[in-house]
Coordinates of all heavy atoms in Angstrom, one line a residue:
M1 N 0.8 -1.2 -0.1 CA 0.0 0.0 0.0 C 0.9 1.2 0.0 O 2.1 1.2 0.3 CB -0.9 0.0 1.2 CG -0.2 -0.2 2.5 SD -1.4 -0.2 3.9 CE -0.7 -1.4 5.0
F2 N 0.2 2.4 -0.2 CA 1.0 3.6 -0.4 C 0.4 4.7 0.5 O -0.8 4.7 0.8 CB 0.9 4.1 -1.9 CG 1.6 3.2 -2.8 CD1 0.9 2.2 -3.5 CD2 2.9 3.3 -3.1 CE1 1.5 1.3 -4.4 CE2 3.6 2.4 -3.9 CZ 2.9 1.5 -4.7
C3 N 1.3 5.5 1.0 CA 0.9 6.5 1.9 C 0.0 7.6 1.2 O 0.3 8.0 0.1 CB 2.2 7.3 2.4 SG 1.8 8.7 3.5
T4 N -1.1 8.0 1.8 CA -2.0 9.0 1.3 C -1.5 10.4 1.4 O -1.9 11.3 0.8 CB -3.4 8.9 1.9 OG1 -3.2 9.0 3.3 CG2 -4.2 7.7 1.5
N5 N -0.5 10.5 2.3 CA 0.0 11.8 2.6 C 1.1 12.2 1.5 O 1.2 13.3 1.0 CB 0.7 12.0 4.0 CG 0.9 13.4 4.4 OD1 0.3 14.3 4.1 ND2 2.1 13.4 5.2
C6 N 2.1 11.2 1.3 CA 3.3 11.6 0.5 C 3.4 10.6 -0.7 O 4.3 10.9 -1.6 CB 4.5 11.5 1.3 SG 5.0 10.0 1.9
G7 N 2.7 9.6 -0.7 CA 2.7 8.6 -1.8 C 3.8 7.6 -1.7 O 3.9 6.7 -2.6
A8 N 4.6 7.6 -0.7 CA 5.7 6.6 -0.5 C 5.0 5.2 -0.2 O 4.0 5.2 0.4 CB 6.6 7.0 0.6
Q9 N 5.8 4.2 -0.6 CA 5.3 2.8 -0.3 C 5.4 2.5 1.2 O 6.6 2.7 1.7 CB 6.0 1.8 -1.2 CG 5.3 0.4 -1.1 CD 5.8 -0.5 -2.2 OE1 6.8 -0.2 -3.1 NE2 5.3 -1.7 -2.3
I10 N 4.5 1.9 1.8 CA 4.6 1.6 3.2 C 4.6 0.0 3.4 O 3.8 -0.7 2.8 CB 3.3 2.1 4.0 CG1 3.2 3.7 3.8 CG2 3.4 1.6 5.5 CD1 2.0 4.1 4.5
Q11 N 5.6 -0.4 4.0 CA 5.8 -1.9 4.4 C 5.2 -2.2 5.7 O 4.6 -3.3 5.9 CB 7.3 -2.3 4.3 CG 8.0 -2.0 2.9 CD 7.4 -3.1 1.8 OE1 6.9 -4.0 2.1 NE2 7.8 -2.6 0.6
G12 N 5.5 -1.4 6.7 CA 5.1 -1.6 8.1 C 3.9 -0.9 8.6 O 2.9 -0.7 7.8
Q13 N 3.9 -0.4 9.8 CA 2.9 0.3 10.4 C 2.8 1.8 10.0 O 1.7 2.4 10.0 CB 2.8 0.1 11.9 CG 2.6 -1.3 12.4 CD 1.3 -1.8 12.2 OE1 0.3 -1.2 12.5 NE2 1.1 -3.0 11.6
F14 N 3.9 2.3 9.7 CA 4.0 3.8 9.5 C 4.8 4.0 8.1 O 5.5 3.3 7.7 CB 4.8 4.5 10.6 CG 4.0 4.3 11.9 CD1 4.5 3.3 12.8 CD2 3.1 5.2 12.3 CE1 3.8 3.2 14.0 CE2 2.5 5.1 13.5 CZ 2.8 4.1 14.3
C15 N 4.4 5.2 7.5 CA 5.1 5.7 6.4 C 6.5 6.0 6.7 O 6.8 6.6 7.7 CB 4.4 6.9 5.8 SG 5.3 7.6 4.4
P16 N 7.5 5.4 6.0 CA 9.0 5.7 6.3 C 9.4 7.1 6.0 O 10.3 7.5 6.6 CB 9.7 4.7 5.3 CG 8.8 4.5 4.3 CD 7.4 4.6 4.8
L17 N 8.7 7.8 5.3 CA 9.0 9.3 4.9 C 8.4 10.3 5.8 O 9.1 11.1 6.2 CB 8.7 9.5 3.4 CG 9.5 8.7 2.4 CD1 9.1 9.1 0.9 CD2 11.0 8.9 2.6
C18 N 7.0 10.2 6.0 CA 6.4 11.3 6.7 C 5.8 10.7 8.1 O 5.4 11.6 8.9 CB 5.3 11.9 5.9 SG 4.0 10.9 5.5
G19 N 5.9 9.4 8.3 CA 5.3 8.9 9.6 C 3.9 8.7 9.7 O 3.4 8.5 10.8
T20 N 3.1 9.0 8.6 CA 1.8 8.8 8.7 C 1.4 7.3 9.0 O 1.9 6.4 8.3 CB 1.0 9.1 7.3 OG1 1.4 10.5 7.1 CG2 -0.4 8.9 7.4
P21 N 0.5 7.0 9.9 CA 0.3 5.6 10.4 C -0.5 5.0 9.2 O -1.3 5.6 8.4 CB -0.7 5.8 11.6 CG -0.5 7.1 12.1 CD 0.0 7.9 10.9
A22 N 0.0 3.7 8.8 CA -0.6 2.9 7.8 C -2.1 2.6 8.1 O -2.8 2.5 7.2 CB 0.1 1.6 7.5
G23 N -2.5 2.6 9.3 CA -3.9 2.4 9.6 C -4.7 3.4 9.0 O -5.9 3.1 8.8
N24 N -4.3 4.7 8.8 CA -5.1 5.7 8.3 C -5.5 5.5 6.8 O -6.4 6.0 6.3 CB -4.4 7.1 8.3 CG -4.4 7.6 9.8 OD1 -5.0 7.0 10.7 ND2 -3.7 8.6 9.9
L25 N -4.7 4.6 6.1 CA -4.9 4.3 4.7 C -6.1 3.4 4.6 O -6.8 3.7 3.6 CB -3.6 3.7 4.1 CG -2.4 4.4 4.1 CD1 -1.2 3.7 3.6 CD2 -2.5 5.8 3.5
A26 N -6.4 2.6 5.5 CA -7.5 1.7 5.4 C -8.3 1.7 6.7 O -8.1 0.8 7.5 CB -7.1 0.2 5.0
P27 N -9.2 2.6 6.9 CA -9.9 2.8 8.1 C -10.9 1.6 8.4 O -11.2 1.3 9.5 CB -10.8 4.0 8.0 CG -10.7 4.3 6.4 CD -9.5 3.8 6.0
N28 N -11.2 0.8 7.3 CA -12.1 -0.3 7.5 C -11.4 -1.5 7.8 O -11.9 -2.5 8.2 CB -12.8 -0.5 6.1 CG -13.8 0.6 5.8 OD1 -14.4 1.1 6.7 ND2 -14.0 0.8 4.5
A29 N -10.0 -1.5 7.8 CA -9.2 -2.7 8.1 C -9.4 -3.1 9.6 O -9.3 -4.4 9.9 CB -7.7 -2.4 7.9
D30 N -9.7 -2.2 10.5 CA -9.9 -2.5 11.9 C -11.3 -3.1 12.2 O -11.5 -3.6 13.2 CB -9.5 -1.2 12.8 CG -8.1 -1.0 12.7 OD1 -7.3 -1.9 12.4 OD2 -7.8 0.2 13.0
T31 N -12.3 -2.9 11.2 CA -13.5 -3.3 11.5 C -13.5 -4.8 11.4 O -13.1 -5.4 10.4 CB -14.5 -2.8 10.5 OG1 -14.3 -1.3 10.3 CG2 -16.0 -3.1 10.8
P32 N -14.0 -5.5 12.6 CA -14.1 -6.9 12.5 C -15.0 -7.4 11.4 O -16.2 -7.0 11.3 CB -14.5 -7.2 13.9 CG -15.2 -6.1 14.4 CD -14.5 -4.9 13.7
V33 N -14.5 -8.4 10.6 CA -15.4 -8.8 9.4 C -16.0 -10.2 10.1 O -15.2 -11.1 10.4 CB -14.6 -9.2 8.3 CG1 -15.4 -9.8 7.2 CG2 -13.9 -7.9 7.7
P34 N -17.3 -10.2 10.0 CA -17.9 -11.5 10.6 C -17.6 -12.7 9.7 O -17.4 -12.4 8.4 CB -19.4 -11.2 10.5 CG -19.5 -9.8 10.4 CD -18.2 -9.3 9.6
P35 N -17.4 -13.8 10.2 CA -17.1 -15.0 9.4 C -18.3 -15.3 8.3 O -19.4 -15.1 8.6 CB -17.0 -16.2 10.3 CG -17.7 -15.8 11.6 CD -17.6 -14.3 11.5
P36 N -17.9 -15.7 7.1 CA -19.0 -15.8 6.1 C -19.9 -17.0 6.6 O -19.5 -18.0 7.2 CB -18.2 -16.2 4.8 CG -16.9 -16.7 5.4 CD -16.6 -15.9 6.6
V37 N -21.3 -16.8 6.3 CA -22.2 -17.9 6.7 C -22.2 -18.9 5.6 O -22.5 -18.5 4.4 CB -23.6 -17.2 6.9 CG1 -24.6 -18.2 7.4 CG2 -23.5 -16.1 7.9
A38 N -22.0 -20.1 5.9 CA -22.1 -21.2 4.9 C -23.6 -21.4 4.5 O -24.3 -21.7 5.4 CB -21.4 -22.4 5.6
S39 N -23.8 -21.4 3.2 CA -25.1 -21.7 2.7 C -25.2 -23.1 2.5 O -24.5 -23.6 1.8 CB -25.4 -20.8 1.5 OG -26.5 -21.3 1.0
P40 N -26.4 -23.7 3.0 CA -26.5 -25.1 2.8 C -27.3 -25.4 1.5 O -28.0 -26.4 1.4 CB -27.4 -25.5 4.0 CG -28.1 -24.3 4.3 CD -27.3 -23.1 3.9
L41 N -27.0 -24.6 0.5 CA -27.8 -24.7 -0.8 C -27.6 -26.0 -1.4 O -28.5 -26.7 -2.0 CB -27.3 -23.5 -1.7 CG -28.2 -23.3 -3.0 CD1 -29.7 -23.0 -2.8 CD2 -27.5 -22.2 -3.8
F42 N -26.2 -26.5 -1.4 CA -26.0 -27.8 -2.0 C -26.9 -28.9 -1.4 O -27.5 -29.7 -2.1 CB -24.6 -28.1 -1.8 CG -24.2 -29.5 -2.3 CD1 -24.0 -29.8 -3.6 CD2 -23.9 -30.5 -1.3 CE1 -23.7 -31.1 -3.9 CE2 -23.7 -31.8 -1.6 CZ -23.5 -32.1 -3.0
W43 N -27.0 -28.9 0.0 CA -27.8 -30.0 0.7 C -29.3 -29.8 0.3 O -30.0 -30.7 0.2 CB -27.5 -30.0 2.1 CG -26.0 -30.3 2.5 CD1 -25.1 -29.5 3.0 CD2 -25.5 -31.6 2.3 NE1 -24.0 -30.3 3.0 CE2 -24.1 -31.6 2.6 CE3 -26.0 -32.8 1.8 CZ2 -23.3 -32.6 2.5 CZ3 -25.1 -34.0 1.7 CH2 -23.8 -33.8 2.0
S44 N -29.6 -28.5 0.3 CA -31.0 -28.2 0.0 C -31.5 -28.8 -1.3 O -32.5 -29.5 -1.6 CB -31.3 -26.8 0.0 OG -31.0 -26.2 1.1
I45 N -30.6 -28.6 -2.3 CA -30.9 -29.0 -3.8 C -30.8 -30.5 -3.7 O -31.7 -31.3 -4.3 CB -29.9 -28.4 -4.7 CG1 -30.2 -27.0 -4.9 CG2 -30.0 -29.1 -6.1 CD1 -29.1 -26.1 -5.7
L46 N -29.8 -31.1 -3.0 CA -29.6 -32.5 -3.0 C -30.9 -33.3 -2.4 O -31.4 -34.2 -3.0 CB -28.4 -33.0 -2.2 CG -28.0 -34.3 -2.2 CD1 -27.4 -34.7 -3.6 CD2 -27.0 -34.8 -1.2
C47 N -31.3 -32.7 -1.3 CA -32.6 -33.3 -0.6 C -33.8 -33.1 -1.5 O -34.7 -33.9 -1.5 CB -32.8 -32.5 0.8 SG -31.6 -33.1 2.0
T48 N -33.8 -32.0 -2.3 CA -35.0 -31.7 -3.1 C -35.1 -32.8 -4.2 O -36.1 -33.3 -4.6 CB -34.9 -30.3 -3.7 OG1 -34.9 -29.4 -2.6 CG2 -36.2 -30.0 -4.6
I49 N -33.8 -33.0 -4.8 CA -33.8 -34.0 -5.9 C -34.0 -35.4 -5.5 O -34.7 -36.2 -6.1 CB -32.5 -33.8 -6.7 CG1 -32.4 -32.4 -7.4 CG2 -32.3 -34.9 -7.8 CD1 -31.0 -32.1 -7.9
C50 N -33.3 -35.7 -4.4 CA -33.3 -37.1 -4.0 C -34.5 -37.5 -3.1 O -34.8 -38.7 -3.2 CB -32.0 -37.5 -3.2 SG -30.5 -37.2 -4.1
F51 N -35.0 -36.5 -2.3 CA -36.0 -37.0 -1.4 C -37.3 -36.4 -1.6 O -38.1 -37.0 -2.4 CB -35.5 -36.6 0.0 CG -34.2 -37.2 0.3 CD1 -33.1 -36.3 0.8 CD2 -33.9 -38.5 0.2 CE1 -31.8 -36.9 0.9 CE2 -32.7 -39.1 0.5 CZ -31.6 -38.3 0.9
C52 N -37.7 -35.2 -1.0 CA -39.0 -34.8 -1.1 C -39.0 -33.4 -1.8 O -38.6 -32.4 -1.2 CB -39.5 -34.7 0.3 SG -41.3 -34.2 0.3
F53 N -39.6 -33.3 -3.0 CA -39.5 -32.2 -3.8 C -40.2 -30.9 -3.2 O -39.6 -29.8 -3.0 CB -40.1 -32.4 -5.2 CG -39.9 -31.2 -6.1 CD1 -38.7 -31.1 -6.8 CD2 -40.9 -30.5 -6.4 CE1 -38.4 -30.2 -7.6 CE2 -40.6 -29.4 -7.3 CZ -39.4 -29.2 -7.9
P54 N -41.5 -31.1 -2.7 CA -42.1 -29.8 -2.1 C -41.5 -29.3 -0.9 O -41.4 -28.1 -0.7 CB -43.6 -30.3 -1.8 CG -43.7 -31.6 -2.4 CD -42.4 -32.1 -2.6
V55 N -41.0 -30.2 0.0 CA -40.4 -29.7 1.2 C -39.0 -29.1 0.9 O -38.7 -28.2 1.5 CB -40.3 -30.8 2.3 CG1 -39.7 -30.3 3.5 CG2 -41.7 -31.4 2.5
G56 N -38.3 -29.8 0.0 CA -37.0 -29.4 -0.4 C -36.9 -27.9 -1.0 O -36.0 -27.2 -0.8
I57 N -38.0 -27.7 -1.7 CA -38.1 -26.3 -2.4 C -38.0 -25.2 -1.3 O -37.4 -24.2 -1.5 CB -39.5 -26.1 -3.2 CG1 -39.3 -27.0 -4.5 CG2 -39.7 -24.7 -3.4 CD1 -38.3 -26.4 -5.4
V58 N -38.7 -25.4 -0.1 CA -38.7 -24.5 1.0 C -37.3 -24.3 1.5 O -36.9 -23.2 1.7 CB -39.6 -25.0 2.1 CG1 -39.6 -23.9 3.3 CG2 -41.0 -25.2 1.7
S59 N -36.6 -25.5 1.6 CA -35.2 -25.4 2.0 C -34.4 -24.6 1.0 O -33.5 -23.9 1.4 CB -34.7 -26.8 2.1 OG -33.3 -26.9 2.5
I60 N -34.5 -24.7 -0.3 CA -33.7 -24.0 -1.3 C -34.0 -22.6 -1.1 O -33.1 -21.8 -1.3 CB -34.1 -24.6 -2.7 CG1 -33.5 -25.9 -2.9 CG2 -33.6 -23.7 -3.8 CD1 -33.8 -26.6 -4.2
V61 N -35.3 -22.1 -0.9 CA -35.7 -20.8 -0.9 C -34.9 -20.2 0.3 O -34.4 -19.1 0.2 CB -37.2 -20.6 -0.6 CG1 -37.5 -19.2 -0.2 CG2 -37.9 -21.0 -1.8
Y62 N -34.8 -20.8 1.5 CA -34.1 -20.3 2.6 C -32.6 -20.3 2.3 O -31.8 -19.3 2.7 CB -34.4 -21.1 4.0 CG -35.7 -20.7 4.6 CD1 -36.7 -21.6 4.7 CD2 -35.7 -19.5 5.1 CE1 -37.8 -21.2 5.3 CE2 -37.0 -19.0 5.7 CZ -38.0 -20.0 5.9 OH -39.1 -19.5 6.5
A63 N -32.1 -21.3 1.7 CA -30.6 -21.4 1.4 C -30.2 -20.3 0.5 O -29.2 -19.7 0.6 CB -30.3 -22.8 0.8
A64 N -31.1 -20.0 -0.5 CA -30.8 -18.9 -1.4 C -30.7 -17.5 -0.8 O -30.1 -16.6 -1.2 CB -31.9 -18.9 -2.5
K65 N -31.5 -17.4 0.4 CA -31.6 -16.1 1.0 C -30.2 -16.0 1.8 O -29.8 -14.7 2.0 CB -32.7 -16.1 2.1 CG -34.0 -15.8 1.6 CD -35.0 -15.7 2.8 CE -36.4 -15.6 2.2 NZ -37.3 -15.6 3.3
V66 N -29.6 -17.0 2.2 CA -28.3 -16.8 3.0 C -27.3 -15.9 2.3 O -26.9 -15.0 2.9 CB -27.7 -18.3 3.3 CG1 -26.5 -18.1 4.1 CG2 -28.7 -19.1 4.1
N67 N -27.0 -16.2 1.1 CA -26.0 -15.5 0.4 C -26.4 -14.0 0.3 O -25.5 -13.1 0.4 CB -25.6 -16.0 -1.0 CG -24.8 -17.3 -0.7 OD1 -24.2 -17.6 0.3 ND2 -24.8 -18.2 -1.7
S68 N -27.6 -13.7 -0.1 CA -28.0 -12.4 -0.4 C -28.0 -11.6 1.0 O -27.7 -10.4 0.9 CB -29.3 -12.3 -1.0 OG -30.3 -13.1 -0.3
L69 N -28.4 -12.3 2.0 CA -28.5 -11.6 3.3 C -27.1 -11.3 3.9 O -26.7 -10.1 4.3 CB -29.2 -12.4 4.3 CG -30.7 -12.4 4.3 CD1 -31.3 -13.5 5.2 CD2 -31.3 -11.0 4.6
A70 N -26.2 -12.3 3.6 CA -24.8 -12.1 4.0 C -24.2 -11.0 3.2 O -23.3 -10.3 3.8 CB -24.1 -13.4 3.9
A71 N -24.5 -10.8 1.9 CA -23.9 -9.9 1.1 C -24.3 -8.4 1.5 O -23.4 -7.5 1.4 CB -24.4 -10.1 -0.3
V72 N -25.3 -8.3 2.3 CA -25.7 -6.9 2.6 C -25.5 -6.7 4.1 O -25.7 -5.7 4.7 CB -27.3 -6.6 2.5 CG1 -27.6 -6.6 1.0 CG2 -28.1 -7.6 3.2
G73 N -24.7 -7.7 4.7 CA -24.2 -7.6 6.0 C -25.2 -8.1 7.1 O -25.0 -7.8 8.3
A74 N -26.4 -8.7 6.8 CA -27.3 -9.1 7.7 C -27.0 -10.5 8.1 O -27.6 -11.5 7.8 CB -28.8 -9.1 7.1
Y75 N -25.9 -10.6 9.0 CA -25.3 -11.9 9.2 C -26.2 -12.7 10.2 O -26.2 -13.9 10.1 CB -23.9 -11.8 9.9 CG -22.9 -11.3 8.8 CD1 -22.5 -10.0 8.7 CD2 -22.4 -12.3 7.9 CE1 -21.6 -9.6 7.7 CE2 -21.5 -11.8 7.0 CZ -21.2 -10.4 6.9 OH -20.3 -10.1 5.9
Q76 N -26.9 -12.1 11.1 CA -27.8 -12.8 12.0 C -28.9 -13.4 11.3 O -29.2 -14.6 11.4 CB -28.3 -11.8 13.0 CG -29.2 -12.4 14.1 CD -28.2 -13.5 14.9 OE1 -27.2 -13.4 15.2 NE2 -28.9 -14.6 15.2
Q77 N -29.5 -12.6 10.3 CA -30.6 -13.2 9.5 C -30.1 -14.3 8.6 O -30.8 -15.2 8.3 CB -31.3 -12.0 8.8 CG -32.2 -11.1 9.5 CD -31.7 -9.8 9.6 OE1 -30.5 -9.6 10.0 NE2 -32.5 -8.8 9.2
A78 N -28.9 -14.1 8.1 CA -28.4 -15.0 7.2 C -28.2 -16.4 8.0 O -28.4 -17.4 7.3 CB -26.9 -14.6 6.6
K79 N -27.7 -16.3 9.1 CA -27.5 -17.4 9.9 C -28.9 -18.1 10.3 O -29.0 -19.4 10.2 CB -26.7 -17.2 11.3 CG -26.2 -18.4 12.0 CD -25.5 -17.9 13.2 CE -25.1 -19.2 14.0 NZ -26.2 -20.0 14.3
E80 N -30.0 -17.4 10.5 CA -31.2 -17.9 10.8 C -31.8 -18.6 9.5 O -32.3 -19.6 9.6 CB -32.2 -16.8 11.3 CG -31.9 -16.5 12.8 CD -32.7 -15.1 13.1 OE1 -33.6 -14.7 12.3 OE2 -32.3 -14.6 14.1
A81 N -31.6 -17.9 8.4 CA -32.0 -18.6 7.1 C -31.2 -20.0 6.9 O -31.9 -20.8 6.3 CB -31.8 -17.6 6.0
A82 N -29.9 -19.9 7.2 CA -29.2 -21.2 6.9 C -29.7 -22.2 7.8 O -29.8 -23.5 7.5 CB -27.7 -20.8 7.2
D83 N -30.0 -21.9 9.2 CA -30.5 -22.8 10.1 C -31.9 -23.4 9.5 O -32.1 -24.6 9.6 CB -30.7 -22.3 11.5 CG -29.4 -22.1 12.1 OD1 -28.4 -22.6 11.7 OD2 -29.4 -21.3 13.1
K84 N -32.8 -22.4 9.1 CA -34.1 -23.0 8.6 C -33.9 -23.8 7.3 O -34.6 -24.8 7.1 CB -34.9 -21.7 8.2 CG -35.5 -21.1 9.5 CD -36.5 -19.9 9.1 CE -37.0 -19.2 10.4 NZ -37.3 -17.9 10.2
A85 N -32.9 -23.4 6.4 CA -32.7 -24.3 5.2 C -32.3 -25.6 5.7 O -32.8 -26.7 5.1 CB -31.6 -23.6 4.4
K86 N -31.4 -25.8 6.6 CA -30.9 -27.1 7.2 C -32.2 -27.9 7.7 O -32.2 -29.1 7.5 CB -29.8 -27.0 8.1 CG -28.5 -26.6 7.6 CD -27.5 -26.4 8.7 CE -26.4 -25.4 8.3 NZ -25.7 -24.9 9.4
M87 N -32.9 -27.2 8.5 CA -34.1 -27.9 9.1 C -35.0 -28.4 8.0 O -35.5 -29.6 8.2 CB -34.9 -26.9 10.0 CG -36.0 -27.4 10.9 SD -37.0 -26.1 11.5 CE -38.1 -25.9 10.0
W88 N -35.3 -27.6 7.1 CA -36.2 -28.0 5.9 C -35.6 -29.2 5.1 O -36.3 -30.1 4.6 CB -36.6 -26.9 5.1 CG -37.7 -26.1 5.7 CD1 -37.5 -24.9 6.4 CD2 -39.0 -26.3 5.8 NE1 -38.7 -24.4 6.9 CE2 -39.7 -25.3 6.5 CE3 -40.0 -27.3 5.2 CZ2 -41.1 -25.2 6.7 CZ3 -41.3 -27.3 5.6 CH2 -41.9 -26.3 6.2
A89 N -34.3 -29.1 5.0 CA -33.6 -30.1 4.2 C -33.7 -31.5 4.9 O -34.0 -32.6 4.3 CB -32.1 -29.8 4.1
W90 N -33.5 -31.5 6.4 CA -33.8 -32.6 7.2 C -35.2 -33.1 7.1 O -35.5 -34.4 7.1 CB -33.3 -32.4 8.5 CG -32.0 -32.6 8.8 CD1 -30.9 -31.5 9.0 CD2 -31.0 -33.7 8.8 NE1 -29.7 -32.0 9.1 CE2 -29.7 -33.4 8.9 CE3 -31.4 -35.1 8.5 CZ2 -28.6 -34.4 9.0 CZ3 -30.3 -36.0 8.5 CH2 -29.0 -35.6 8.7
L91 N -36.1 -32.1 7.1 CA -37.6 -32.5 7.0 C -37.9 -33.2 5.8 O -38.6 -34.2 5.8 CB -38.4 -31.2 7.1 CG -39.8 -31.4 7.6 CD1 -39.9 -31.9 9.1 CD2 -40.5 -30.0 7.6
A92 N -37.2 -32.7 4.6 CA -37.4 -33.3 3.4 C -36.9 -34.8 3.4 O -37.5 -35.7 3.0 CB -36.7 -32.6 2.2
F93 N -35.7 -34.9 4.0 CA -35.2 -36.3 4.2 C -36.1 -37.2 5.0 O -36.4 -38.3 4.6 CB -33.8 -36.1 4.9 CG -33.1 -37.5 5.1 CD1 -32.5 -38.2 4.1 CD2 -33.2 -38.0 6.4 CE1 -31.9 -39.4 4.3 CE2 -32.5 -39.2 6.7 CZ -31.9 -39.8 5.6
G94 N -36.7 -36.6 6.2 CA -37.5 -37.4 7.0 C -38.8 -37.8 6.3 O -39.2 -38.9 6.4
V95 N -39.4 -36.9 5.6 CA -40.7 -37.1 5.0 C -40.5 -38.2 4.0 O -41.4 -39.1 3.8 CB -41.2 -35.8 4.3 CG1 -42.3 -36.0 3.4 CG2 -41.7 -34.9 5.5
S96 N -39.4 -38.2 3.2 CA -39.1 -39.1 2.1 C -39.0 -40.4 2.7 O -39.3 -41.5 2.1 CB -38.1 -38.7 1.3 OG -36.8 -38.9 1.9
M97 N -38.3 -40.5 3.9 CA -38.0 -41.7 4.6 C -39.4 -42.5 4.9 O -39.5 -43.6 4.8 CB -37.1 -41.6 5.7 CG -35.7 -41.4 5.5 SD -35.0 -42.8 4.7 CE -34.5 -42.2 3.1
I98 N -40.2 -41.6 5.5 CA -41.6 -42.1 5.8 C -42.3 -42.7 4.6 O -42.9 -43.7 4.7 CB -42.3 -40.9 6.7 CG1 -41.7 -40.6 8.0 CG2 -43.8 -41.4 6.9 CD1 -42.1 -39.4 8.6
I99 N -42.3 -41.8 3.7 CA -43.1 -42.2 2.5 C -42.5 -43.6 1.8 O -43.3 -44.4 1.5 CB -43.0 -41.2 1.3 CG1 -43.8 -39.9 1.9 CG2 -43.5 -41.6 0.0 CD1 -43.6 -38.6 0.9
N100 N -41.1 -43.6 1.9 CA -40.5 -44.9 1.4 C -40.8 -46.0 2.1 O -41.2 -47.2 1.8 CB -38.9 -44.7 1.4 CG -38.6 -43.9 0.1 OD1 -39.3 -43.7 -0.8 ND2 -37.3 -43.3 0.2
L101 N -40.9 -45.8 3.6 CA -41.2 -46.9 4.6 C -42.7 -47.4 4.3 O -42.9 -48.6 4.2 CB -41.0 -46.5 6.0 CG -39.5 -46.4 6.4 CD1 -39.5 -45.9 7.8 CD2 -38.8 -47.8 6.3
L102 N -43.5 -46.4 4.1 CA -45.1 -46.7 3.9 C -45.1 -47.4 2.5 O -45.8 -48.5 2.4 CB -45.8 -45.3 3.8 CG -46.1 -44.7 5.2 CD1 -46.9 -43.4 4.9 CD2 -46.9 -45.6 6.0
Y103 N -44.4 -47.0 1.5 CA -44.4 -47.6 0.2 C -44.0 -49.1 0.3 O -44.6 -50.0 -0.3 CB -43.5 -46.9 -0.7 CG -43.5 -47.3 -2.2 CD1 -44.6 -46.9 -2.9 CD2 -42.5 -48.0 -2.7 CE1 -44.7 -47.3 -4.3 CE2 -42.5 -48.4 -4.0 CZ -43.6 -48.1 -4.9 OH -43.6 -48.5 -6.1
I104 N -42.9 -49.2 1.0 CA -42.3 -50.7 1.2 C -43.3 -51.6 2.1 O -43.6 -52.6 1.7 CB -40.9 -50.6 2.1 CG1 -39.9 -50.0 1.1 CG2 -40.6 -52.0 2.5 CD1 -38.6 -49.6 1.8
A105 N -43.9 -50.9 3.1 CA -44.9 -51.6 3.9 C -46.0 -52.0 3.1 O -46.6 -53.1 3.1 CB -45.3 -50.7 5.1
I106 N -46.6 -51.2 2.2 CA -47.7 -51.5 1.4 C -47.4 -52.6 0.4 O -48.2 -53.5 0.2 CB -48.2 -50.1 0.6 CG1 -48.9 -49.3 1.7 CG2 -49.2 -50.6 -0.5 CD1 -49.0 -47.8 1.0
N107 N -46.1 -52.6 -0.2 CA -45.7 -53.6 -1.1 C -45.6 -54.9 -0.4 O -45.9 -56.0 -1.0 CB -44.4 -53.1 -1.7 CG -44.7 -52.3 -2.8 OD1 -45.7 -52.1 -3.4 ND2 -43.6 -51.6 -3.4
V108 N -45.1 -54.9 0.8 CA -44.9 -56.1 1.5 C -46.1 -56.7 1.9 O -46.3 -57.9 1.7 CB -44.0 -55.8 2.8 CG1 -44.1 -57.0 3.7 CG2 -42.6 -55.6 2.5
M109 N -47.2 -56.0 2.2 CA -48.5 -56.4 2.6 C -49.2 -56.8 1.3 O -50.3 -57.5 1.5 CB -49.2 -55.4 3.4 CG -48.7 -55.2 4.8 SD -49.7 -54.1 5.8 CE -49.2 -52.5 5.2
G110 N -48.7 -56.4 0.2 CA -49.4 -56.9 -1.0 C -50.7 -56.1 -1.3 O -51.5 -56.5 -2.0
Ligands
ZN1 ZN1 4.1 9.4 3.8

């Protein structure tokens, strides 16, 4: 990076020529950046295709919200959307298991 005061290249914390703190060059550098929220979109789509379509769609809708919410800095809402997406993905899995078991039971009973 370069000093905004004199234009010299800064390697450390201060400009070697004029002493301007390097921190002044990037005021946003000190702002803590929240960790990115992992979107379970992959699992949502997988559950939708493999298991239960109508329930999986809800999961995809929530998973799709995660990235857009995280992009505007709404990390709490992004995390909640991610949690809901995971919940619906598991629900899709559970519903399909029940349907499969019922299907097998009906076939076994003839
Ligand atoms: Zn300088």
